[in-house]
Amino acid sequence: MDCGKQQFRRSEERALVVDVVEAVESVSGSRRSELPSLYETIDMEAVENAVQSGTEVVVEFEYSGHTVTVVDNSRLIVEPPERGE
C-alpha cells in the first residue's frame, strides 16, 4: 500500500462529504463504519461553501488522523498520518 499522499477527483454528482469519506477510507484501509462521523469532526457546510465560492480555493482539515485538502472543489488530496503517530 502506498503510504504517501493520494489524489482523488471530485464527483459532480455526489456530496463532498461522500467523496471525503470514501477517499479517507481508501487511503486508510478502514471501513466507513470504522471512521468517526465527519460531521462531528468538521463543519462540512462551511467547507462546501468555501470551495464553491470561487476558483483557486484550497481548504485543508484533519479527519481521522489524515490531512484532507480540497482543491477548487474538483479534487481531494489525502495524506495519511506520519508514521509513529
Side-chain angles (χ1 to χ4, degrees):
M1 178 187 294
D2 182 6
C3 294
K5 293 181 187 179
Q6 292 188 35
Q7 293 192 40
F8 300 86
R9 284 219 158 290
R10 282 269 298 117
S11 170
E12 294 181 20
E13 293 84 33
R14 294 188 302 197
L16 177 59
V17 65
V18 174
D19 286 340
V20 169
V21 171
E22 286 184 358
V24 171
E25 182 180 36
S26 174
V27 171
S28 69
S30 298
R31 292 183 178 160
R32 188 174 306 188
S33 61
E34 298 170 331
L35 296 172
S37 169
L38 185 55
Y39 284 109
E40 291 178 13
T41 305
I42 188 85
D43 183 347
M44 285 305 295
E45 185 176 334
V47 172
E48 288 184 28
N49 289 338
V51 297
Q52 292 175 358
S53 68
T55 58
E56 299 182 25
V57 175
V58 177
V59 176
E60 184 175 288
F61 57 91
E62 296 290 320
Y63 173 55
S64 189
H66 294 70
T67 301
V68 177
T69 307
V70 184
V71 181
D72 294 336
N73 202 30
S74 64
R75 66 188 164 108
L76 298 170
I77 301 169
V78 178
E79 186 173 1
E82 296 283 328
R83 290 183 184 250
E85 282 188 21

